[in-house]
Structure formats: C-alpha cells, structure tokens
Amino acid sequence: MFNFMTWGQFFIVIGMSFECEMDRFLLASLKRVEDNLPIGNSIWLVLNPDKEALDKSTYRIQSALPRSKVYITDKKLEEWIDEGMDALRDIGAFAD
C-alpha cells in the first residue's frame, strides 16, 4: 500500500486525525520520499465533521507534505455523498 501511495495524486481522508502512532509513521514515511515521488505534490481532500480533528488532520498532512494541496469539508460522509461530492470535481479528480 505504501508504494501505491507514493505514486498517488489524489487522496480522500475520511474521519482521520492522524493521532495514532501508525498514522503518524505513515506521514513521516511519506515525508521522507516527498521530494523524489509524486506524493510530494499530491492533492488531499479531508472530510471530518469534527472541526478540531479536521484541523489536526490538515495540519499534519501539510506539515509532512508542504507542497501538497489540502482541501477540507466539515460534512459527514453520507451528507457529502448525497450532495454529489462536488469537491472531487473542484480539485480535478473528476472531469466535468
């Protein structure tokens, strides 16, 4: 999975704050390869209705991958899906 992520361009993070040791290790590992692989310029969409957790996730991703772009939504997953997931189009993950 890690090798797949390092070559990825778009990521959707749902309900995570990267607080546990394993998640922080993942971000630290991605940081080590960011200059040499596409992950360094990746685009992240973070969904979390908990504002504090949303802010933590965003901060941790941006700290690990400073050239990445992080977009956020404070909606619940079901609400976001019901509304058509417009953010995916906005970040270029879906064509119009």
Side-chain angles (χ1 to χ4, degrees):
M1 169 134 166
F2 178 77
N3 289 339
F4 176 77
M5 286 187 74
T6 61
W7 290 94
Q9 183 177 8
F10 294 105
F11 297 90
I12 300 173
V13 177
I14 301 170
M16 287 182 69
S17 62
F18 295 99
E19 288 187 15
C20 75
E21 186 175 330
M22 180 182 281
D23 292 344
R24 286 187 295 192
F25 177 77
L26 171 64
L27 287 178
S29 298
L30 292 173
K31 182 172 183 57
R32 281 192 289 266
V33 298
E34 70 166 317
D35 289 334
N36 301 314
L37 296 169
I39 190 72
N41 294 306
S42 53
I43 298 170
W44 297 69
L45 175 61
V46 183
L47 284 84
N48 198 323
D50 180 328
K51 175 75 169 127
E52 184 177 339
L54 182 64
D55 290 344
K56 285 180 184 179
S57 297
T58 302
Y59 174 77
R60 289 178 174 140
I61 293 167
Q62 289 179 326
S63 294
L65 303 165
R67 291 188 323 274
S68 68
K69 292 182 181 169
V70 181
Y71 299 89
I72 62 170
T73 182
D74 61 355
K75 296 179 181 175
K76 292 183 178 181
L77 177 61
E78 297 82 12
E79 178 185 3
W80 181 67
I81 291 171
D82 289 344
E83 292 179 358
M85 302 179 290
D86 289 339
L88 291 178
R89 238 181 304 293
D90 295 344
I91 66 174
F94 286 155
D96 286 328

